[in-house]
Amino acid sequence: MLYIKCPHCGMRPQIEFSYGGDASVKRPELNKEISDQEWDDFVYNRKSLRGKHLELWQHISGCRQWIKIERDTATHEIFKTFKADEEVA
Amino acid sequence: MSQDFRLESVGLINRDKKLSFKFNGKKYFGYEGDTLASALLANGVHLIGRSFKYHRPRGFFGAGVDEPYAIVQLYRNNETEPNIKATEQELFEGLEAKSVNCWPSVNFDIGAINNFLKIFLPAGFYYKTFMWPKSFWYRIYEPFIRKAAGLGVASIKHDKERYEHKYEYCDLLIAGSGPSGLSSAYAAAKNGAKVILAEDKPRFGGSLLTSDVNIGNQSGKDWAEGIIAELKTMPNVVVKNRSQIFGYYDHNMLVMSEKVSDHLPKTKKYHPNKRLWYIRAKEVLISSGSIERPIVFGNNDTPGVMLSSAAKEYLKVYGVLVGKNPLIFTNNDSGYETAIEFQKHGVQPVILDSRKNPESEIIDEAKSLGINIKNSYVVVAAQGYKKVKSADIASISDDKKQLGKIENIKCDCICVSGFWTPSIHLASQSGNKTKFKEEIDAFVPGNSKQQETTLGAANGVFSLEETLQTSFAKGRELSKKITNNDNEVSVPNVVEKKSSEHDKFWCVPLPTGKNYKRFLDFQNDVAVSDIEIALREGYRSIEHVKRYTTLGMATDQGKTSNLNGLQLVSDIENKVVPAVGHTTFRPPYTPISIGAIVGREVGKHSKPTRKSPMHSWHEKNNAVFVDAGVWLRPRYYKRGNENLFEGSKREAKNVRTNVGVCDVTTLGKIDIKGPDAAEFLNRIYTNAWLKLPVGKARYGVMLREDGIVMDDGTTTRISENHYHMTTTTAQAANVLSHLEYYLQLIWPELNVNVVSTTEQWAGAAIAGPKSRDVLQKLFPNLDVSNEGLPFMGYMEGDLFGVKARIFRISFSGELAYEINVESDNGNFMWQKIMEFGEEFKIQPYGTEALSTLRIEMGHVAGSELDGRTIPYDNALEGLVSKKKDFIGKRSLQRAAFIADDRQRIVGVVPLDKKTSIPEGSHLVKDANAPLPNPKLGHISASCWSVEYDNPFSLAIIKDGKNMIGEKLFVMSPLKNKVIPVEIVSSHYVDPKGERVRS
Ligand SMILES: [Zn+2]
């Protein structure tokens, strides 16, 4: 079970969080004309990365904030966690 | 009954407390502090079961967790448990155990015929045999194997025992209370670190309980007792016996199973049977010691052949002689220690040492005691079927390839020592890449992967002095890092006998003309010849060899067999062991009860139960409840002998003719506030929200980004910047997360706050033509006329002193209102509704009637919004705005979503107007078409229409818009039904929606 540092609450066990997918995906702006390919890439197409991955989690049984976690998908090492609006360096 | 093999006044058992127990129906006695194994051995019982494949007689091989044979079915307090190791099970008064793998009995076993047919059961026999003809598998092979094999029988009764889970945090978690664990725990505790010390056995001390050493001028055992006693007084230390750390998981979390009650005849009141500890440790010290490994020789599975360390433990801890005429077969000095203990207690052993000329202090001592030692000698084969009676022995050449003349010597047990294998399981589970250490012919942990350090014998260090020094130092160093304290603890002086090098010898060659079975894996009956076959057949990877032969795949996970298997593969392949590599260690280290893993989350406790504030009223009024997500909701209110069908029909009919009331507290409710709330809703929902006036409600549909309907519900504008959203019961939590996702991550610029208020409001839906009359009585001062409170209107009112919210919304399709009051007043509201509704013949209705009412109106719910449908499929395309963008809109342009024959909701009526249509049935054009019969769609919901008094269903079918009037067939192969039906509009009742507006 992972041990995750919520940037708002501190170290918490994984059971308090729910996974929210790839954090690097950007939603296209509303009312913007975009191609089918761009939309499909946003909705469906994901890389199944081995290694460092920036992902979204929600601290669902805690502060309910969505956060970003930089994690190694192979080793589960967590490098850093970020608030939703924090710039990922 | 006398115990022929029990020594007087030796051991750590409590001779004042005699215990009686039964094995295979026969009564025996033992003492408090015995294990089932030691008590049986004290009574001279060596035959305990049969092996898995060949059903060869099985005795005891070890004295603890490494035991491959002695598995029993245990009976305790009217419960039974399989797969119990007799070497680990502590004796208690009234214990009963039975052999497994025996049919019909341990002494006469039909399966033992496999032993003579073994040429037909070589490596891979599971894959090769029994596979043909296929039909024989279910009828003949499998039942036979099931009866003849297995490791016991699981109870099918409800387990009355309680299992607990505990979460713990500590600075240092130490696995094992041998010399290394005790030293590091003591040093760390003195630095004020929070320490948990776990020992899987009942007694602390590990090897110190049996070894002949001195620490700080005390015996090793006394020193261990002193340290444990002191640790127990320290507030920063938790010391646990009977506690096995069996798994090392991510981020330094380990799981430990504590046997709280297994050693007692009966679990004490309020005590759990087992307690599972989830421990998050800053540092983990693995002091799990080592396990002696066998030397492989002919018939080495005969009862009476056992590890020399086990023989020593039975003698020193339990005062039990495993034999009175022991033969010790060793390639190192450990066998001598066992021999010396025998000799000291009046039993004359013979030592066979594969080494030519070993010299050490221990050997000198054995010699001075006059023990008969034969150098360059080996056991070729054990003789005896149910018990060792003698041994064929021979001298062996220096290159270990040639045997001398075979002699037979009498003996009643063979104690074997092939040196020591460090227990590296936990380190390996942590992700540590282990490395091979030539000097000890075994793997040891490499660089730490997580925060783990392996010490002592587990790290391949067999010198006590070195173990104490490194462990004290490590305990001090790691705790200092955490607590910043640095208290010096002096390392006690150690007196131990120096030993000499072991012989790199592990398998006795077969004598010419003999074909003895030489076993590697004792639990799965894997012999040297099986590995040879697997390699001949082309298996190379050790992982494949393991699976093909089942080497190391038994419940003991190959604790005594892995390294010998690797040695064999590397010998045949002319590789070195590290090149072969070892198989992966995975948790659990030992078998763990399913009950312990599940913990308290069983039955009603497997999920929380949520009840509405009106629950007790429903109970008192004969509600029959149904699980709706985590909620308990009334399904119908039973009157007399009514069944579900009759009761729900009555309730639904009363709504259509008079008025009914339904508890709708479970609906998800979300409070939305902020100046940008309207804009937010406009982006979330498919329809337009910017112009909704204060005091009005609107029905809305929200999509996922892929265009699939996520949820529906009404949202009401309470005031300028304040909205009240409702969601379906099932999706309440997901919708909240969905809203939070967009507010926090996608549109943080929107000034909006959302919070769940599901539990803050109790809700009652009053529905039916007379609902306005009831409402007027409840709120005599309000204008609730069609003009005063029109359809989709909202007002606030005073319900006899209680603040109430009134929404004119309808799920039933009738004129209806929903009243919300703060939860504490829910019961009051409900009672007032019943009281004032009486004159209008009000009846409460449950979820079944609610379903009927919505189905015949064609209102969609969870069974249509099933995560596969878009708005069009549910006839909700009128709610999809063409003017504005919203979540998921772009996806609605997908070709499949705009296809002309896109699936769509329809109504379904059986032609005979009688036959009920099972939900989930398929619709087809031709009932007699060959399979696979093309499926047009499925029945999503069924009811008995109270309006027309015939069955009615909703279905989502291909090209639904052009199917009205078609005659099709509903097929339910599960219920073996074929029903001719007609497709009609999904709006079966009041298609124009006049009633809700009346
Ligand atoms: Zn948090």
Side-chain angles (χ1 to χ4, degrees), chain B residues 872-890:
Chain B
Y872 174 86
D873 304 349
N874 295 293
L876 295 172
E877 68 277 11
L879 289 171
V880 176
S881 167
K882 293 204 167 61
K883 291 184 191 141
K884 57 142 196 174
D885 199 359
F886 54 85
I887 291 169
K889 184 176 189 183
R890 181 66 175 75

Side-chain angles (χ1 to χ4, degrees), chain A residues 1-3 27 30-31 34-36 39 42-44 56 58 60 64-66 75-76 78 84, chain B residues 169 250-251 253 280 683 705-706 736-737 740-741 744-747 885-888 890-891 894:
Chain A
M1 186 164 49
L2 307 185
Y3 203 29
R27 192 193 191 282
L30 288 169
N31 299 309
I34 55 168
S35 68
D36 287 352
W39 185 254
F42 160 62
V43 178
Y44 298 105
L56 291 171
Q58 190 183 14
I60 201 146
R64 291 205 64 88
Q65 294 301 301
W66 284 88
T75 65
H76 294 180
I78 291 176
Chain B
Y169 294 82
D250 290 312
H251 299 178
M253 194 191 74
R280 191 79 69 173
R683 296 177 185 188
E705 292 285 18
D706 63 1
L736 183 64
S737 274
E740 287 165 337
Y741 175 89
Q744 293 172 24
L745 291 165
I746 312 296
W747 306 310
D885 199 359
F886 54 85
I887 291 169
R890 181 66 175 75
S891 288
R894 289 181 65 203

Side-chain angles (χ1 to χ4, degrees), chain B residues 697-768:
Chain B
R698 183 164 286 176
Y699 175 72
V701 174
M702 59 179 82
L703 307 186
R704 312 189 307 218
E705 292 285 18
D706 63 1
I708 299 292
V709 177
M710 179 174 182
D711 200 40
D712 70 341
T714 55
T715 291
T716 306
R717 192 166 196 174
I718 304 284
S719 65
E720 183 63 24
N721 294 326
H722 183 193
Y723 291 80
H724 171 81
M725 174 186 275
T726 64
T727 73
T728 58
T729 302
Q731 291 289 356
N734 291 342
V735 169
L736 183 64
S737 274
H738 180 75
L739 301 183
E740 287 165 337
Y741 175 89
Y742 285 95
L743 284 175
Q744 293 172 24
L745 291 165
I746 312 296
W747 306 310
E749 70 277 8
L750 291 185
N751 190 352
V752 179
N753 269 303
V754 293
V755 67
S756 166
T757 54
T758 300
E759 278 157 4
Q760 275 61 46
W761 297 99
I766 307 172

Side-chain angles (χ1 to χ4, degrees), chain A residues 8 16-17 19 23 32 44-45 56 58 61 65-66 87:
Chain A
H8 307 279
E16 293 187 9
F17 296 83
Y19 182 69
K32 196 182 154 203
Y44 298 105
N45 298 330
L56 291 171
Q58 190 183 14
S61 303
Q65 294 301 301
W66 284 88
E87 269 312 305

Side-chain angles (χ1 to χ4, degrees), chain B residues 23 126 170 182 212 345 369 495 508 518 522 553 603 667 773 781 785 803 862 874 932:
Chain B
F23 179 64
Y126 292 107
C170 66
L182 289 175
D212 187 16
H345 292 95
L369 286 168
V495 183
V508 179
R518 293 172 298 168
F522 303 102
M553 285 173 70
L667 278 185
D773 301 324
N781 301 325
S785 67
K803 200 180 96 185
N874 295 293

Side-chain angles (χ1 to χ4, degrees), chain B residues 39-58:
Chain B
L40 284 169
L41 285 167
N43 287 282
V45 178
H46 277 261
L47 179 62
I48 186 149
R50 293 276 174 165
S51 72
F52 188 68
K53 196 158 98 183
Y54 299 127
H55 287 232
R56 287 162 70 107
R58 285 290 180 251

Side-chain angles (χ1 to χ4, degrees), chain A residues 9-22:
Chain A
C9 309
M11 297 302 297
R12 298 298 179 98
Q14 185 187 341
I15 43 167
E16 293 187 9
F17 296 83
S18 75
Y19 182 69
D22 188 340

